[in-house]
Each structure stands twice: as structure tokens, then as C-alpha cells.
């Protein structure tokens, strides 16, 4: 496919791309680069327009087709042409950009103390260096459960792994599928079990990323895979979970066929369609997957604004981030957006009652997204494909863990990561 830049048509102002691509490119303005779908988010268009109107400064918005973003950005990196402000999630792809050499550490910026602890943790590397400003929507992933249904059986939310297993067993006996597990094409679930293993042990995370240890050598990973295999064998996922996909989740929960699922709060505002049960019938408890006795929540994956340390507009780029991180400005941008707060002063966004009701539990047990963002070579689809082979009885638990290792290492090598 021919690589090309596309203008951001949905923006309130249309700005050109790189020098040579358009005669309208403003060489004096900051250039902000991101994926096309990301830059079209309403809070992004709002902050760009807000900045332009309030400061009188221009912006070059460089919008790249999503599937071409990494290849185009890496090509620009190789030529020393990265933009002033670069948007990226903290995931395995980011390891290819040599962040220490190419981007500013933001530890000393005036807005850092206004970040929530979880947002700051997500954007910080293993040495505690803040890599970007998380100007993005967030969510809380956990076990969302039908409290009305569960209470009708005289049951309550679980607070320990043992309680959760008892809850699943009793729901199964009552004829309800305990856990809606969408095994057909959905891949986010596995990271929730892996998060506590690596988020709670930075040394272990460093070892696996240096290829000094494998999943197979970490008992907790085998514990997770064993727990999932046992849950499937006990019928806790129902009879048709391998044919259950994204579009099936809402009906199963809203009808009461299933009692719980591992997902995030914003899903209830974007995809849930009420039937017998409405969103008001649901509540939130931790995820239990055999790796954390008291369970876990995962905070949101956040898109970061990163500053090119080699840019001749570096200081202006840092000022732009400070503008975005000013309460008046981010509250204007995120007004009525369904999201968990990323800034402590964020108060115009919409937060779900499920999350606010569970705030004490979340504060105690929430972990930054770790498996999907910080394990080198981790790929959600690879992990789920290995598990699905286990569920279909094509692999044993040990073979499944070994397959997860093989796929992770192959991806790390594909990324050109050292030590692999």
C-alpha cells in the first residue's frame, strides 16, 4: 500500500502536513502527529481548536492512516524527522523509538502533580521517568457484575479469589453462566491475569524483557492458565464461549444469561443495550484470575503526547503540553466525555456510578496496565490464540504456556529488541 498522509477532515480547522506535502504548511508552527482515528476524538479536536483560538498560535496537525502509523513514524525517525509532538500509547511498539534518545523526560514539568497516580504510573518507564502527557480518555477494567441478578440468589460480590470461585460455582448451579468470556475474536482478557504478576514485581518485568526468564519459569503464569482451563472445564464460561464475540456480550448480560464479564466501564455507555436489565443493575468488583488473592483492576490505556527532544521547537512543545494540562483547558476539552479522570482537577467529565461506588476498592487494588504495555513482545491476539488451543484440548496447560512464550519471543525478535 502506498504510504500517504491524510488531512484531518473532521477538525474545525484544516492544517497541512509536512514540508513539501502542502504549500500551506506553517514552518513556524508546532507539528503534532497522531493516528487519524485518534486525532478525530472530540476532546483532541477541542483542545487543538482551543489552543489556536486562545493563543493565536497555529498548529500543523499531521494525521496518518492508522495501519500505516508505526511504519511511517519509524521511517521519519530514521531520517531525523519526527514531529515536535508525537502521540503514542505505552506499548511494545514504543520500544522501537529509543525514548531516552529521542523524547524529553517530563518529570519536572509543572503539571505532573496534577496527574492521578494511575495515569502517572502508566506513562512512566521502569526507571520512573515520565514519557508523555496522558491527554486521553480512561476507563477502569474490572469484573462488572449484575448485582440485581446475583442478589436475587442471596449472593454478594467477591472480595477474595476463594469467594469468587464459590460465587461462580453457585451461579452455575443456579443455571446462570457465571462469566461471559468472549472467546471469538476478543483478546483483552488475558492481560488482566498477567498484570498483577508483573506490575507487583518490577524486577521480574525487567527479567522477562531482558529475555532472562520465560513465562514457563514463572509459577504464577502457569497458575493463571491452569485457573482459566479449570474455569472452562467447570462450565463457568458457558457452553458456547468460543463462539461468543464482541457483538454477543451485551445481550448475554442484559438478558441475564450471564452474570459477569471482565470489561471496562465506558463499554456500558458505548455498546451496552438494556433489555431485562439496565446499566443501573450492574456494579463493579475486582477481577479474579488466579494471580491475585484480593483481585485486581486495570486502569486505562492512555495515548501520550511526547515531546521530541531534538526539535528546535522543544520549549514551545513543552509549553503546548502545559497548555493542554491546565485545568481550565482540559476541562473544556473533556466536558461531558465518559471517562475516568486522568487529572486530579478534572471535573467536567462523566464518571460511571459503578466506578465511583467501588472507588475505595479501586484505590487499593488498581494496577497500571502492564502486560499489554510493558511486556516486550506481548500481543493480546497471540495470547488468546494459545489459550483457545488449550480450551479446544489441542494443548495442555504446559504446552499453552510454552506457546505463549514462543509467540512473545518471536514478536520481540520481529521488533528487533536487544537480547532476543
Amino acid at each position: 500500500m502506498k504510504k500517504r498522509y491524510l488531512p484531518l477532515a473532521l477538525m474545525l480547522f484544516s492544517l497541512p502536513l509536512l514540508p513539501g506535502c502542502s504549500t500551506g504548511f506553517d514552518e513556524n508552527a508546532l507539528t503534532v502527529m497522531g493516528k487519524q482515528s485518534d486525532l478525530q476524538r472530540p476532546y483532541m479536536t477541542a483542545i487543538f481548536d482551543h489552543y489556536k483560538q486562545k493563543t493565536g498560535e497555529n498548529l500543523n496537525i499531521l494525521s496518518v492512516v492508522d495501519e500505516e502509523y508505526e511504519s511511517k513514524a519509524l521511517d521519519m525517525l530514521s531520517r531525523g524527522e519526527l514531529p515536535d509532538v508525537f502521540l503514542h500509547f505505552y506499548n511494545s511498539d514504543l520500544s522501537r523509538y529509543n525514548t531516552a534518545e529521542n523524547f524529553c523526560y517530563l518529570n519536572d514539568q509543572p503539571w505532573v502533580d496534577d496527574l492521578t497516580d494511575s495515569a502517572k504510573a502508566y506513562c512512566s518507564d521502569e526507571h520512573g521517568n515520565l514519557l508523555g502527557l496522558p491527554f486521553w480518555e480512561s476507563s477502569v477494567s474490572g469484573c462488572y457484575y449484575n448485582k440485581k441478578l446475583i442478589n436475587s440468589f442471596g449472593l454478594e460480590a467477591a472480595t477474595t479469589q476463594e469467594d469468587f470461585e464459590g460465587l461462580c460455582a453457585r451461579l452455575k448451579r443456579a443455571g446462570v453462566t457465571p462469566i461471559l468470556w468472549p472467546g471469538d475474536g476478543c483478546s483483552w482478557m488475558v492481560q488482566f491475569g498477567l498484570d498483577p504478576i508483573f506490575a507487583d514485581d518490577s524486577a521480574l518485568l525487567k527479567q522477562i524483557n531482558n529475555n532472562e526468564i520465560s513465562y514457563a519459569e514463572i509459577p504464577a503464569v502457569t497458575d493463571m492458565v491452569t485457573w482459566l482451563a479449570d474455569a472452562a472445564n467447570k462450565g463457568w464460561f458457558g457452553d458456547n464461549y468460543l463462539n461468543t464475540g464482541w457483538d454477543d456480550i451485551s445481550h448475554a448480560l442484559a438478558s441475564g444469561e450471564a452474570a459477569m464479564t471482565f470489561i471496562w466501564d465506558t463499554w456500558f455507555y458505548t455498546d451496552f443495550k438494556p433489555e431485562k436489565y439496565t446499566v443501573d443493575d450492574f456494579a463493579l468488583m475486582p477481577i479474579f484470575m488466579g494471580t491475585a488473592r484480593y483481585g485486581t483492576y486495570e486502569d486505562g490505556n492512555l495515548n501520550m503526547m511526547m515531546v521530541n527532544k531534538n526539535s528546535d521547537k522543544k520549549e514551545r512543545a513543552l509549553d503546548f503540553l502545559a497548555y493542554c494540562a491546565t485545568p481550565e483547558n482540559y476541562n473544556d476539552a473533556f466536558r461531558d466525555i465518559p471517562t475516568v479522570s486522568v487529572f486530579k482537577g478534572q471535573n467536567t467529565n462523566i464518571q460511571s456510578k459503578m466506578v465511583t461506588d467501588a472507588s475505595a476498592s479501586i484505590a487499593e487494588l488498581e494496577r497500571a496496565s502492564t502486560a499489554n504495555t510493558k511486556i516486550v513482545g506481548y500481543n493480546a491476539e497471540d495470547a488468546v490464540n494459545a489459550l483457545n488451543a488449550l480450551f479446544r484440548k489441542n494443548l495442555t496447560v504446559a504446552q499453552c504456556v510454552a506457546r505463549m512464550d514462543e509467540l512473545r519471543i518471536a514478536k520481540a525478535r520481529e521488533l528487533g529488541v536487544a537480547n532476543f
Side-chain angles (χ1 to χ4, degrees), residues 6 76 92 99 107 110 129 158 179 213 274 282 318 335 345 405:
L6 294 183
M76 293 170 67
S92 58
T99 54
N107 308 341
N129 294 310
I179 305 167
I213 196 170
F282 286 82
L318 292 170
R335 190 174 305 278
D405 268 326

Side-chain angles (χ1 to χ4, degrees), residues 24-38:
F25 181 85
D26 185 347
E27 294 185 357
N28 296 315
L30 290 173
T31 298
V32 180
M33 176 177 170
K35 292 182 180 178
Q36 185 179 39
S37 63
D38 291 345

Side-chain angles (χ1 to χ4, degrees), residues 108-256:
D108 61 350
Q109 292 302 296
W111 42 263
V112 172
D113 288 343
D114 191 32
L115 294 178
T116 62
D117 291 343
S118 59
K120 184 178 179 182
Y122 176 92
C123 298
S124 298
D125 67 14
E126 64 272 23
H127 304 296
N129 294 310
L130 188 65
L131 302 180
L133 171 69
F135 196 88
W136 201 245
E137 62 192 87
S138 188
S139 59
V140 174
S141 293
C143 180
Y144 287 83
Y145 67 98
N146 188 329
K147 61 184 178 183
K148 186 174 182 180
L149 177 63
I150 285 177
N151 292 344
S152 73
F153 296 115
L155 304 174
E156 296 180 349
T159 57
T160 67
Q161 181 73 42
E162 295 83 1
D163 288 345
F164 184 72
E165 292 170 7
L167 176 61
C168 289
R170 293 186 65 179
L171 286 168
K172 180 69 171 66
R173 289 197 297 270
V176 175
T177 297
I179 305 167
L180 189 289
W181 182 274
D184 182 11
C186 299
S187 59
W188 64 81
M189 301 83 71
V190 187
Q191 67 199 56
F192 302 146
L194 291 173
D195 277 351
I197 300 172
F198 297 98
D200 296 353
D201 191 338
S202 59
L204 191 62
L205 179 63
K206 184 176 181 180
Q207 282 182 293
I208 201 163
N209 285 342
N210 287 337
N211 202 22
E212 297 168 352
I213 196 170
S214 65
Y215 285 153
E217 297 172 284
I218 303 172
V221 176
T222 297
D223 290 345
M224 180 194 75
V225 175
T226 300
W227 189 87
L228 289 170
D230 288 346
N233 289 335
K234 291 173 182 175
W236 291 354
F237 300 156
D239 299 325
N240 197 39
Y241 64 97
L242 288 174
N243 295 312
T244 298
W246 175 263
D247 293 335
D248 304 310
I249 302 174
S250 180
H251 172 68
L253 293 175
S255 66

Side-chain angles (χ1 to χ4, degrees), residues 145-386:
Y145 67 98
N146 188 329
K147 61 184 178 183
K148 186 174 182 180
L149 177 63
I150 285 177
N151 292 344
S152 73
F153 296 115
L155 304 174
E156 296 180 349
T159 57
T160 67
Q161 181 73 42
E162 295 83 1
D163 288 345
F164 184 72
E165 292 170 7
L167 176 61
C168 289
R170 293 186 65 179
L171 286 168
K172 180 69 171 66
R173 289 197 297 270
V176 175
T177 297
I179 305 167
L180 189 289
W181 182 274
D184 182 11
C186 299
S187 59
W188 64 81
M189 301 83 71
V190 187
Q191 67 199 56
F192 302 146
L194 291 173
D195 277 351
I197 300 172
F198 297 98
D200 296 353
D201 191 338
S202 59
L204 191 62
L205 179 63
K206 184 176 181 180
Q207 282 182 293
I208 201 163
N209 285 342
N210 287 337
N211 202 22
E212 297 168 352
I213 196 170
S214 65
Y215 285 153
E217 297 172 284
I218 303 172
V221 176
T222 297
D223 290 345
M224 180 194 75
V225 175
T226 300
W227 189 87
L228 289 170
D230 288 346
N233 289 335
K234 291 173 182 175
W236 291 354
F237 300 156
D239 299 325
N240 197 39
Y241 64 97
L242 288 174
N243 295 312
T244 298
W246 175 263
D247 293 335
D248 304 310
I249 302 174
S250 180
H251 172 68
L253 293 175
S255 66
E257 292 176 12
M260 303 179 281
T261 196
F262 303 150
I263 206 160
W264 47 92
D265 58 303
T266 53
W267 175 85
F268 282 90
Y269 298 93
T270 58
D271 292 87
F272 179 79
K273 297 177 178 60
E275 296 179 28
K276 180 179 180 181
Y277 298 99
T278 72
V279 66
D280 294 333
D281 296 318
F282 286 82
L284 173 61
M285 65 176 157
I287 291 170
F288 298 94
M289 214 180 287
T291 59
R293 188 185 177 205
Y294 298 103
T296 188
Y297 303 93
E298 184 186 84
D299 62 12
N301 294 319
L302 302 170
N303 212 346
M304 303 182 294
M305 292 184 181
M306 305 175 69
V307 172
N308 180 357
K309 70 186 299 183
N310 303 308
S311 167
D312 59 2
K313 300 185 181 73
K314 180 179 70 174
E315 295 303 321
R316 288 173 57 197
L318 292 170
D319 289 343
F320 171 71
L321 264 62
Y323 182 92
C324 295
T326 299
E328 177 187 355
N329 301 334
Y330 63 64
N331 276 316
D332 279 349
F334 282 96
R335 190 174 305 278
D336 298 329
I337 298 293
T339 175
V340 173
S341 296
V342 170
F343 301 97
K344 294 174 183 176
Q346 196 168 352
N347 54 32
T348 58
N349 51 306
I350 301 169
Q351 297 197 76
S352 74
K353 188 175 186 298
M354 294 177 286
V355 169
T356 56
D357 285 349
S359 58
S361 176
I362 294 168
E364 180 182 1
L365 300 171
E366 186 178 46
R367 292 165 171 90
S369 178
T370 301
N372 189 52
T373 59
K374 297 184 180 180
I375 295 178
V376 169
Y378 180 82
N379 179 274
E381 288 75 20
D382 286 346
V384 160
N385 287 339

